[in-house]
Each structure stands twice: as structure tokens, then as C-alpha cells.
Amino acid sequence: MLWPPRDGEITDDELERLYDYPDGLDRPWVQVNFVSSVDGAVSVAGRSEGLGNDADRRVFMLGRDLCDVVLVGAGTALVEGYHGVKAGEVRASRRARLGLAPVPPIAVVTGRCSILPTSTLLTSTSAPPIILTTRAAPRERRDALAAAGADVVVAGEETVSMDLALRALDERGLRRVDCEGGPHVLGALIDADLVDVLCVTFSPLLAGGDAGRIAVGPLPPSPRSMELESVLHHESALLLRYRKVTPDPVTSGTSPA
């Protein structure tokens, strides 16, 4: 699907159908949203904000409209100045129609429990954040965040296991997962083969410098296959949506479960 189509700009309803989650999910479905310069930079002057455009922001906010939970790394949350999702930042009518809570909570991946109790993630929110951390994180930090109202989850020993993190979200009925970064979280999801959809906007900029790429982490056993589902464009920016390729049990040589 190309945006805008020949007869005009894509409508909100069409965009929702394109980016919505599957019906009847029985497990967490992870849809990742990133922006990159055309030369591969994930940030300008340390922040992704300099790469965005109106269309990218529209899709970014749609992701929050459609999800049960926003998943983000602590580094991204701190650099980008995250707070809790506000009711005015999501379309209430859409979330009500989809049977979703008024606002999605923010789930923060932080191996060392580096979020402070005074963070706006806790002090400026109507939905308590979920802190996905490790047993190695200092106990006093975990206790302080729990006392400040966060839902603190130990999801690993030394590093956060994305399998355990998603299992914890599943136990809370949070299956529509909107991952907003950063590169280390995406790298961990790729390593665990947990990315269902990747939405990436290519901004028409040559950023240069030493900015990183959108994914950083362990090298998986093999590259994860994706297939292109949609191509949208706004002025000179491209918005691409890729879906995970599920192996055919016949052609892959395995038997159906």
C-alpha cells in the first residue's frame, strides 16, 4: 500500500487497519517502531527527535493508540525525556472501541534498575510503569521503585531476558506490545526471535557522525527473515512495515506441532 494513494491521502481508518494487531492474540505480539536517516543513523545529536517528520509522528502516536503496553529501554526513556502516556496523547474513542485501557503503561527495560523514583515515568503518569529488571540490580533500587508505585519485575539474573519480560507482560494481559526502542532492546528482541513487525521510517537526511544503527546486540544464529507488508511515503520520507516470515513446517523439514 502506497501513501498517499492516487485519490488522496490515506485515511485514519485505513492507517489503523494497516498497523493494527491481529485479532485473538494468544501471546505477546511485538511491533517495533524506529526512525533512521538514509545513511543509517538512529539519532541526530544523540536524539531520534531530529529524524522525525509529521507522517512518522502520526504513525508513532498510532502505535500508542493501538497497543496494550509501550516497551522501551531505559536509555531511550531517559534521553528522550519519557513520562507516562497521557490521556490526551492517545485517541480515547479508538482505544474504547478496541476494548483497551484508557492509556497504555510504559514497560521499561533496565538491567541495573537505573530509573529513579523521581523520574517523570512515575511522577507524571496515570498508569504505573512496569520496570523489567534483573536479580543483579541493587535491591534498594528495586524496593524504592516499588515503593514509588512501579510494578517491578525481575526478568533475568544478570541481563533482562526478553522471553521472561514478554511472559510477564502476557501474565498481565498485555499482548499488544509497541516497542519504541532503543537499539539494545531491539537487538535483544532480534536475538530471541521475538520481533513480529518492524516499522521503520527512513528520514531524507545524511546524518553522518558516529550515531549507532537501530539494532545493537548479540549476533543471532542466522538473520531473521522479514517480508515487506507496506510502503508509505510522505514528501521524501519512506515508512516501511516488515512482518516476520514464519517458516513453513513442510518446506522447513519440521512436523507441525
Side-chain angles (χ1 to χ4, degrees):
M1 187 173 193
L2 187 65
W3 171 25
R6 292 181 180 178
D7 58 350
E9 184 173 304
I10 191 170
T11 67
D12 282 347
D13 288 344
E14 289 170 331
L15 203 60
E16 179 183 323
R17 283 193 294 272
L18 195 61
Y19 281 83
D20 201 4
Y21 293 74
D23 293 330
L25 289 175
D26 61 1
R27 64 166 179 85
W29 179 275
V30 180
Q31 186 156 279
V32 182
N33 189 23
F34 262 93
V35 61
S36 169
S37 67
V38 292
D39 61 336
V42 74
S43 62
V44 173
R47 301 183 65 181
S48 63
E49 186 178 12
L51 294 168
N53 56 67
D54 290 343
D56 175 64
R57 282 185 283 273
R58 183 179 173 189
V59 169
F60 178 88
M61 297 310 298
L62 176 65
R64 291 188 166 195
D65 281 358
L66 300 175
C67 73
D68 286 322
V69 60
V70 173
L71 179 67
V72 67
T76 296
L78 293 172
V79 169
E80 304 289 344
Y82 269 55
H83 50 68
V85 178
K86 307 292 187 183
E89 294 175 334
V90 293
R91 185 168 298 183
S93 59
R94 175 179 282 146
R95 293 188 62 83
R97 171 168 50 80
L98 294 172
L100 304 176
V103 297
I106 305 282
V108 185
V109 178
T110 169
R112 300 299 294 172
C113 225
S114 58
I115 302 297
L116 296 176
T118 54
S119 165
T120 50
L121 284 162
L122 288 101
T123 63
S124 180
T125 185
S126 59
I130 302 167
I131 304 298
L132 301 166
T133 189
T134 65
R135 202 169 304 281
R139 182 61 183 264
E140 61 272 17
R141 294 185 189 177
R142 288 187 272 147
D143 290 346
L145 286 171
D151 181 3
V152 179
V153 177
V154 173
E157 296 298 322
E158 297 289 333
T159 60
V160 174
S161 161
M162 298 314 299
D163 285 296
L164 294 178
L166 292 187
R167 187 183 305 171
L169 297 181
D170 190 20
E171 290 169 352
R172 290 157 175 76
L174 306 174
R175 292 177 174 169
R176 300 159 69 103
V177 182
D178 175 29
C179 177
E180 297 180 352
H184 289 281
V185 172
L186 177 53
L189 289 168
I190 292 172
D191 182 50
D193 198 17
L194 293 173
V195 177
D196 292 292
V197 173
L198 173 62
C199 307
V200 57
T201 296
F202 285 99
S203 178
L205 296 172
L206 293 174
D210 59 357
R213 49 181 292 191
I214 68 171
V216 176
L219 186 66
S222 61
R224 310 303 187 185
S225 296
M226 308 291 284
E227 58 185 354
L228 184 62
E229 289 239 310
S230 65
V231 179
L232 312 182
H233 73 89
H234 174 72
E235 297 175 347
S236 293
L238 276 180
L239 293 84
L240 308 180
R241 186 173 184 271
Y242 287 89
R243 183 165 174 158
K244 178 180 177 179
V245 173
T246 303
D248 186 322
V250 175
T251 59
S252 65
T254 59
S255 300

